[in-house]
Amino acid sequence: METKSVVIQARTLKKCIPAFNCPHVPMVKPIAQAIADENSVAMIQVARVEWEKFKAESLERIAEEYFKYRVEGHTLLHLDHIPVIDEDYLEVDYMSLISRALKAGFESVMIDGSRLSLEDNIRVTAEAAALAHEAKVPIEAELGAVMGHENKEMPPYEEIFASKMGFTKLDEAKRFAQESSCDWLPVAVGNIHGQVAEAVRNQKKPEARIDIQHVADLYAAAGIPLVLHGGSGIKYQSVLDAVEAGIAKINVGTEVRQCYEFAMQERPGDIAYAQEKVYLKTRDYIQNYLYNTDLADKIK
Ligand code: 13P
């Protein structure tokens, strides 16, 4: 399977490719198994924040685990959020991380310049895209502000949605897609990330919904597959409608992470028990929330 073509095929089928985050190394195995057992096609991914602030250890460690458990025709390895400016507003050496990921065998990568001005976001994305494309690897790049990673209190969800706070703008999406060379575009359309700050990371996410018309308008403006971050706990119907309107990849982190962590609290040291919980949760997501069972039969 070639990752760029997989996402395009998903879009043509009006389906999405789920991308499951692995902030703990033992999560890789049950997630890969669940994807294969559902006969689905999905990504296993890790973000910088997950080795900095959780227990993913490093991008190389996740790649090593992935290559032990990958299942041909079903799983793909993606590098999630590599911020240019991170959630603590510190500068990151993003080019060296992306270059390490390409060496480690990641099949797609992400650059997140969303805390920069539009011009700077286009510039850094084009720079990272040149590196990824040289290795024949597609790149995802964020535009708009999907809140939740920053170490500060978020405004109430209804206020974010009603005021369209941080939503990706249509004219910017069009320009960004044309000038940055990114292959897929994560957008802000009512979605929020699960919070990662230590004090609040165990909380349940507020249920988000999606401005579907805005997704459709952004897809028409950008003309490339859109990505929905903050996939945990979005209203069920919103997910289905968003996929219909232009979303071809959905990131799922918090709910599967919490499932692993709560199981480890329940039975400290029993990794196999936590892995079983993650396996069941991932299967449930694919079957009942994303409707992606048997996607492998439709994608080459
Ligand atoms: P959630 O943690 O809200 O599922 O979001 C995951 C994500 O978007 C990772 O990039």
Side-chain angles (χ1 to χ4, degrees), residues 10-36:
R11 178 59 209 140
T12 309
L13 292 163
K14 297 211 170 158
K15 288 282 182 184
C16 70
I17 301 297
F20 295 102
N21 286 85
C22 289
H24 299 271
V25 175
M27 291 174 67
V28 172
K29 180 182 178 189
I31 292 177
Q33 194 60 53
I35 296 165

PDB file of all heavy atoms in Angstrom, residues 10-36:
ATOM      1  N   ALA A  10      -9.536   6.556  -0.007  1.00  0.00           N
ATOM      2  CA  ALA A  10     -10.523   6.692   1.080  1.00  0.00           C
ATOM      3  C   ALA A  10     -11.471   7.844   0.762  1.00  0.00           C
ATOM      4  O   ALA A  10     -12.691   7.729   0.904  1.00  0.00           O
ATOM      5  CB  ALA A  10      -9.823   6.923   2.413  1.00  0.00           C
ATOM      6  N   ARG A  11     -10.901   8.943   0.310  1.00  0.00           N
ATOM      7  CA  ARG A  11     -11.728  10.116  -0.011  1.00  0.00           C
ATOM      8  C   ARG A  11     -12.705   9.787  -1.146  1.00  0.00           C
ATOM      9  O   ARG A  11     -13.881  10.135  -1.099  1.00  0.00           O
ATOM     10  CB  ARG A  11     -10.802  11.287  -0.388  1.00  0.00           C
ATOM     11  CG  ARG A  11     -11.524  12.542  -0.780  1.00  0.00           C
ATOM     12  CD  ARG A  11     -12.427  13.052   0.338  1.00  0.00           C
ATOM     13  NE  ARG A  11     -13.563  13.787  -0.191  1.00  0.00           N
ATOM     14  CZ  ARG A  11     -14.798  13.714   0.284  1.00  0.00           C
ATOM     15  NH1 ARG A  11     -15.099  12.948   1.307  1.00  0.00           N
ATOM     16  NH2 ARG A  11     -15.769  14.414  -0.249  1.00  0.00           N
ATOM     17  N   THR A  12     -12.218   9.100  -2.162  1.00  0.00           N
ATOM     18  CA  THR A  12     -13.089   8.747  -3.292  1.00  0.00           C
ATOM     19  C   THR A  12     -14.242   7.860  -2.820  1.00  0.00           C
ATOM     20  O   THR A  12     -15.367   7.979  -3.301  1.00  0.00           O
ATOM     21  CB  THR A  12     -12.262   7.996  -4.366  1.00  0.00           C
ATOM     22  OG1 THR A  12     -11.113   8.787  -4.638  1.00  0.00           O
ATOM     23  CG2 THR A  12     -13.031   7.799  -5.641  1.00  0.00           C
ATOM     24  N   LEU A  13     -13.945   6.982  -1.856  1.00  0.00           N
ATOM     25  CA  LEU A  13     -14.986   6.077  -1.329  1.00  0.00           C
ATOM     26  C   LEU A  13     -15.871   6.766  -0.285  1.00  0.00           C
ATOM     27  O   LEU A  13     -16.786   6.157   0.258  1.00  0.00           O
ATOM     28  CB  LEU A  13     -14.317   4.877  -0.639  1.00  0.00           C
ATOM     29  CG  LEU A  13     -13.553   3.892  -1.508  1.00  0.00           C
ATOM     30  CD1 LEU A  13     -12.625   3.037  -0.656  1.00  0.00           C
ATOM     31  CD2 LEU A  13     -14.536   2.998  -2.261  1.00  0.00           C
ATOM     32  N   LYS A  14     -15.545   8.016   0.055  1.00  0.00           N
ATOM     33  CA  LYS A  14     -16.193   8.746   1.156  1.00  0.00           C
ATOM     34  C   LYS A  14     -16.065   7.963   2.464  1.00  0.00           C
ATOM     35  O   LYS A  14     -17.035   7.758   3.220  1.00  0.00           O
ATOM     36  CB  LYS A  14     -17.634   9.091   0.822  1.00  0.00           C
ATOM     37  CG  LYS A  14     -17.696  10.019  -0.384  1.00  0.00           C
ATOM     38  CD  LYS A  14     -18.874  10.942  -0.317  1.00  0.00           C
ATOM     39  CE  LYS A  14     -18.773  12.001  -1.388  1.00  0.00           C
ATOM     40  NZ  LYS A  14     -20.002  12.615  -1.744  1.00  0.00           N
ATOM     41  N   LYS A  15     -14.855   7.490   2.682  1.00  0.00           N
ATOM     42  CA  LYS A  15     -14.492   6.807   3.923  1.00  0.00           C
ATOM     43  C   LYS A  15     -13.311   7.566   4.524  1.00  0.00           C
ATOM     44  O   LYS A  15     -12.716   8.416   3.863  1.00  0.00           O
ATOM     45  CB  LYS A  15     -14.049   5.366   3.612  1.00  0.00           C
ATOM     46  CG  LYS A  15     -15.201   4.461   3.217  1.00  0.00           C
ATOM     47  CD  LYS A  15     -15.935   4.065   4.452  1.00  0.00           C
ATOM     48  CE  LYS A  15     -17.080   3.119   4.230  1.00  0.00           C
ATOM     49  NZ  LYS A  15     -17.810   2.851   5.475  1.00  0.00           N
ATOM     50  N   CYS A  16     -12.954   7.228   5.762  1.00  0.00           N
ATOM     51  CA  CYS A  16     -11.776   7.883   6.329  1.00  0.00           C
ATOM     52  C   CYS A  16     -10.778   6.831   6.790  1.00  0.00           C
ATOM     53  O   CYS A  16     -11.146   5.691   7.060  1.00  0.00           O
ATOM     54  CB  CYS A  16     -12.160   8.791   7.481  1.00  0.00           C
ATOM     55  SG  CYS A  16     -12.694   7.876   8.914  1.00  0.00           S
ATOM     56  N   ILE A  17      -9.520   7.246   6.841  1.00  0.00           N
ATOM     57  CA  ILE A  17      -8.475   6.391   7.402  1.00  0.00           C
ATOM     58  C   ILE A  17      -8.282   6.833   8.855  1.00  0.00           C
ATOM     59  O   ILE A  17      -7.854   7.963   9.109  1.00  0.00           O
ATOM     60  CB  ILE A  17      -7.143   6.571   6.617  1.00  0.00           C
ATOM     61  CG1 ILE A  17      -7.336   6.222   5.131  1.00  0.00           C
ATOM     62  CG2 ILE A  17      -6.032   5.740   7.242  1.00  0.00           C
ATOM     63  CD1 ILE A  17      -7.716   4.783   4.847  1.00  0.00           C
ATOM     64  N   PRO A  18      -8.590   5.971   9.818  1.00  0.00           N
ATOM     65  CA  PRO A  18      -8.340   6.357  11.209  1.00  0.00           C
ATOM     66  C   PRO A  18      -6.840   6.346  11.483  1.00  0.00           C
ATOM     67  O   PRO A  18      -6.112   5.535  10.897  1.00  0.00           O
ATOM     68  CB  PRO A  18      -9.014   5.247  12.036  1.00  0.00           C
ATOM     69  CG  PRO A  18      -9.738   4.377  11.074  1.00  0.00           C
ATOM     70  CD  PRO A  18      -9.190   4.629   9.713  1.00  0.00           C
ATOM     71  N   ALA A  19      -6.401   7.235  12.360  1.00  0.00           N
ATOM     72  CA  ALA A  19      -4.992   7.243  12.768  1.00  0.00           C
ATOM     73  C   ALA A  19      -4.970   7.231  14.291  1.00  0.00           C
ATOM     74  O   ALA A  19      -5.422   8.187  14.926  1.00  0.00           O
ATOM     75  CB  ALA A  19      -4.290   8.474  12.210  1.00  0.00           C
ATOM     76  N   PHE A  20      -4.480   6.131  14.851  1.00  0.00           N
ATOM     77  CA  PHE A  20      -4.516   5.943  16.305  1.00  0.00           C
ATOM     78  C   PHE A  20      -3.171   6.317  16.928  1.00  0.00           C
ATOM     79  O   PHE A  20      -2.125   5.791  16.524  1.00  0.00           O
ATOM     80  CB  PHE A  20      -4.852   4.479  16.636  1.00  0.00           C
ATOM     81  CG  PHE A  20      -6.236   4.070  16.211  1.00  0.00           C
ATOM     82  CD1 PHE A  20      -6.435   3.307  15.062  1.00  0.00           C
ATOM     83  CD2 PHE A  20      -7.350   4.464  16.952  1.00  0.00           C
ATOM     84  CE1 PHE A  20      -7.725   2.933  14.667  1.00  0.00           C
ATOM     85  CE2 PHE A  20      -8.639   4.092  16.565  1.00  0.00           C
ATOM     86  CZ  PHE A  20      -8.825   3.331  15.415  1.00  0.00           C
ATOM     87  N   ASN A  21      -3.221   7.210  17.910  1.00  0.00           N
ATOM     88  CA  ASN A  21      -1.996   7.621  18.600  1.00  0.00           C
ATOM     89  C   ASN A  21      -1.523   6.561  19.591  1.00  0.00           C
ATOM     90  O   ASN A  21      -2.338   5.894  20.224  1.00  0.00           O
ATOM     91  CB  ASN A  21      -2.235   8.934  19.366  1.00  0.00           C
ATOM     92  CG  ASN A  21      -2.315  10.110  18.426  1.00  0.00           C
ATOM     93  OD1 ASN A  21      -3.359  10.398  17.878  1.00  0.00           O
ATOM     94  ND2 ASN A  21      -1.198  10.777  18.220  1.00  0.00           N
ATOM     95  N   CYS A  22      -0.198   6.475  19.734  1.00  0.00           N
ATOM     96  CA  CYS A  22       0.397   5.522  20.685  1.00  0.00           C
ATOM     97  C   CYS A  22       1.321   6.255  21.655  1.00  0.00           C
ATOM     98  O   CYS A  22       2.543   6.276  21.457  1.00  0.00           O
ATOM     99  CB  CYS A  22       1.173   4.447  19.938  1.00  0.00           C
ATOM    100  SG  CYS A  22       0.067   3.325  19.075  1.00  0.00           S
ATOM    101  N   PRO A  23       0.768   6.821  22.720  1.00  0.00           N
ATOM    102  CA  PRO A  23       1.608   7.509  23.707  1.00  0.00           C
ATOM    103  C   PRO A  23       2.286   6.557  24.693  1.00  0.00           C
ATOM    104  O   PRO A  23       3.078   6.997  25.528  1.00  0.00           O
ATOM    105  CB  PRO A  23       0.622   8.434  24.435  1.00  0.00           C
ATOM    106  CG  PRO A  23      -0.716   7.828  24.224  1.00  0.00           C
ATOM    107  CD  PRO A  23      -0.668   7.054  22.949  1.00  0.00           C
ATOM    108  N   HIS A  24       1.978   5.260  24.620  1.00  0.00           N
ATOM    109  CA  HIS A  24       2.657   4.240  25.424  1.00  0.00           C
ATOM    110  C   HIS A  24       3.075   3.134  24.449  1.00  0.00           C
ATOM    111  O   HIS A  24       2.245   2.674  23.643  1.00  0.00           O
ATOM    112  CB  HIS A  24       1.713   3.656  26.476  1.00  0.00           C
ATOM    113  CG  HIS A  24       1.216   4.685  27.451  1.00  0.00           C
ATOM    114  ND1 HIS A  24       1.891   4.983  28.622  1.00  0.00           N
ATOM    115  CD2 HIS A  24       0.123   5.505  27.417  1.00  0.00           C
ATOM    116  CE1 HIS A  24       1.228   5.934  29.262  1.00  0.00           C
ATOM    117  NE2 HIS A  24       0.160   6.267  28.558  1.00  0.00           N
ATOM    118  N   VAL A  25       4.312   2.692  24.531  1.00  0.00           N
ATOM    119  CA  VAL A  25       4.827   1.706  23.565  1.00  0.00           C
ATOM    120  C   VAL A  25       3.948   0.444  23.478  1.00  0.00           C
ATOM    121  O   VAL A  25       3.656  -0.033  22.377  1.00  0.00           O
ATOM    122  CB  VAL A  25       6.304   1.360  23.891  1.00  0.00           C
ATOM    123  CG1 VAL A  25       6.815   0.249  22.976  1.00  0.00           C
ATOM    124  CG2 VAL A  25       7.176   2.605  23.770  1.00  0.00           C
ATOM    125  N   PRO A  26       3.475  -0.136  24.608  1.00  0.00           N
ATOM    126  CA  PRO A  26       2.693  -1.380  24.487  1.00  0.00           C
ATOM    127  C   PRO A  26       1.334  -1.219  23.789  1.00  0.00           C
ATOM    128  O   PRO A  26       0.645  -2.224  23.548  1.00  0.00           O
ATOM    129  CB  PRO A  26       2.481  -1.816  25.956  1.00  0.00           C
ATOM    130  CG  PRO A  26       3.545  -1.108  26.726  1.00  0.00           C
ATOM    131  CD  PRO A  26       3.756   0.196  26.022  1.00  0.00           C
ATOM    132  N   MET A  27       0.943   0.004  23.450  1.00  0.00           N
ATOM    133  CA  MET A  27      -0.329   0.193  22.734  1.00  0.00           C
ATOM    134  C   MET A  27      -0.225  -0.212  21.260  1.00  0.00           C
ATOM    135  O   MET A  27      -1.236  -0.498  20.609  1.00  0.00           O
ATOM    136  CB  MET A  27      -0.791   1.658  22.826  1.00  0.00           C
ATOM    137  CG  MET A  27      -1.231   2.077  24.224  1.00  0.00           C
ATOM    138  SD  MET A  27      -1.606   3.854  24.317  1.00  0.00           S
ATOM    139  CE  MET A  27      -3.054   3.984  23.276  1.00  0.00           C
ATOM    140  N   VAL A  28       0.988  -0.232  20.715  1.00  0.00           N
ATOM    141  CA  VAL A  28       1.146  -0.479  19.278  1.00  0.00           C
ATOM    142  C   VAL A  28       0.594  -1.858  18.886  1.00  0.00           C
ATOM    143  O   VAL A  28      -0.157  -1.988  17.909  1.00  0.00           O
ATOM    144  CB  VAL A  28       2.641  -0.359  18.862  1.00  0.00           C
ATOM    145  CG1 VAL A  28       2.844  -0.796  17.425  1.00  0.00           C
ATOM    146  CG2 VAL A  28       3.140   1.063  19.086  1.00  0.00           C
ATOM    147  N   LYS A  29       0.950  -2.869  19.667  1.00  0.00           N
ATOM    148  CA  LYS A  29       0.586  -4.245  19.307  1.00  0.00           C
ATOM    149  C   LYS A  29      -0.945  -4.449  19.254  1.00  0.00           C
ATOM    150  O   LYS A  29      -1.460  -4.920  18.226  1.00  0.00           O
ATOM    151  CB  LYS A  29       1.229  -5.215  20.313  1.00  0.00           C
ATOM    152  CG  LYS A  29       0.933  -6.665  20.050  1.00  0.00           C
ATOM    153  CD  LYS A  29       1.565  -7.545  21.138  1.00  0.00           C
ATOM    154  CE  LYS A  29       1.215  -9.006  20.898  1.00  0.00           C
ATOM    155  NZ  LYS A  29       1.604  -9.841  22.017  1.00  0.00           N
ATOM    156  N   PRO A  30      -1.698  -4.118  20.314  1.00  0.00           N
ATOM    157  CA  PRO A  30      -3.144  -4.366  20.237  1.00  0.00           C
ATOM    158  C   PRO A  30      -3.850  -3.504  19.190  1.00  0.00           C
ATOM    159  O   PRO A  30      -4.844  -3.936  18.600  1.00  0.00           O
ATOM    160  CB  PRO A  30      -3.649  -4.033  21.650  1.00  0.00           C
ATOM    161  CG  PRO A  30      -2.590  -3.197  22.282  1.00  0.00           C
ATOM    162  CD  PRO A  30      -1.299  -3.603  21.651  1.00  0.00           C
ATOM    163  N   ILE A  31      -3.337  -2.306  18.931  1.00  0.00           N
ATOM    164  CA  ILE A  31      -3.979  -1.455  17.914  1.00  0.00           C
ATOM    165  C   ILE A  31      -3.763  -2.076  16.528  1.00  0.00           C
ATOM    166  O   ILE A  31      -4.710  -2.200  15.738  1.00  0.00           O
ATOM    167  CB  ILE A  31      -3.475   0.010  17.998  1.00  0.00           C
ATOM    168  CG1 ILE A  31      -3.973   0.659  19.295  1.00  0.00           C
ATOM    169  CG2 ILE A  31      -3.944   0.812  16.784  1.00  0.00           C
ATOM    170  CD1 ILE A  31      -3.487   2.071  19.543  1.00  0.00           C
ATOM    171  N   ALA A  32      -2.543  -2.516  16.250  1.00  0.00           N
ATOM    172  CA  ALA A  32      -2.266  -3.153  14.948  1.00  0.00           C
ATOM    173  C   ALA A  32      -3.139  -4.402  14.779  1.00  0.00           C
ATOM    174  O   ALA A  32      -3.722  -4.632  13.710  1.00  0.00           O
ATOM    175  CB  ALA A  32      -0.785  -3.515  14.848  1.00  0.00           C
ATOM    176  N   GLN A  33      -3.255  -5.182  15.840  1.00  0.00           N
ATOM    177  CA  GLN A  33      -4.054  -6.408  15.782  1.00  0.00           C
ATOM    178  C   GLN A  33      -5.537  -6.093  15.539  1.00  0.00           C
ATOM    179  O   GLN A  33      -6.209  -6.757  14.738  1.00  0.00           O
ATOM    180  CB  GLN A  33      -3.882  -7.171  17.112  1.00  0.00           C
ATOM    181  CG  GLN A  33      -4.374  -8.587  17.067  1.00  0.00           C
ATOM    182  CD  GLN A  33      -3.634  -9.413  16.027  1.00  0.00           C
ATOM    183  OE1 GLN A  33      -2.415  -9.461  16.032  1.00  0.00           O
ATOM    184  NE2 GLN A  33      -4.370 -10.019  15.109  1.00  0.00           N
ATOM    185  N   ALA A  34      -6.033  -5.065  16.228  1.00  0.00           N
ATOM    186  CA  ALA A  34      -7.451  -4.689  16.082  1.00  0.00           C
ATOM    187  C   ALA A  34      -7.746  -4.229  14.653  1.00  0.00           C
ATOM    188  O   ALA A  34      -8.774  -4.582  14.064  1.00  0.00           O
ATOM    189  CB  ALA A  34      -7.794  -3.573  17.075  1.00  0.00           C
ATOM    190  N   ILE A  35      -6.828  -3.440  14.077  1.00  0.00           N
ATOM    191  CA  ILE A  35      -7.014  -2.950  12.698  1.00  0.00           C
ATOM    192  C   ILE A  35      -7.108  -4.146  11.744  1.00  0.00           C
ATOM    193  O   ILE A  35      -8.006  -4.229  10.894  1.00  0.00           O
ATOM    194  CB  ILE A  35      -5.839  -2.012  12.288  1.00  0.00           C
ATOM    195  CG1 ILE A  35      -5.814  -0.752  13.153  1.00  0.00           C
ATOM    196  CG2 ILE A  35      -5.917  -1.662  10.806  1.00  0.00           C
ATOM    197  CD1 ILE A  35      -4.501   0.040  13.075  1.00  0.00           C
ATOM    198  N   ALA A  36      -6.191  -5.095  11.913  1.00  0.00           N
ATOM    199  CA  ALA A  36      -6.168  -6.273  11.020  1.00  0.00           C
ATOM    200  C   ALA A  36      -7.405  -7.141  11.254  1.00  0.00           C
ATOM    201  O   ALA A  36      -8.028  -7.614  10.294  1.00  0.00           O
ATOM    202  CB  ALA A  36      -4.898  -7.074  11.258  1.00  0.00           C
TER     203      ALA A  36
END
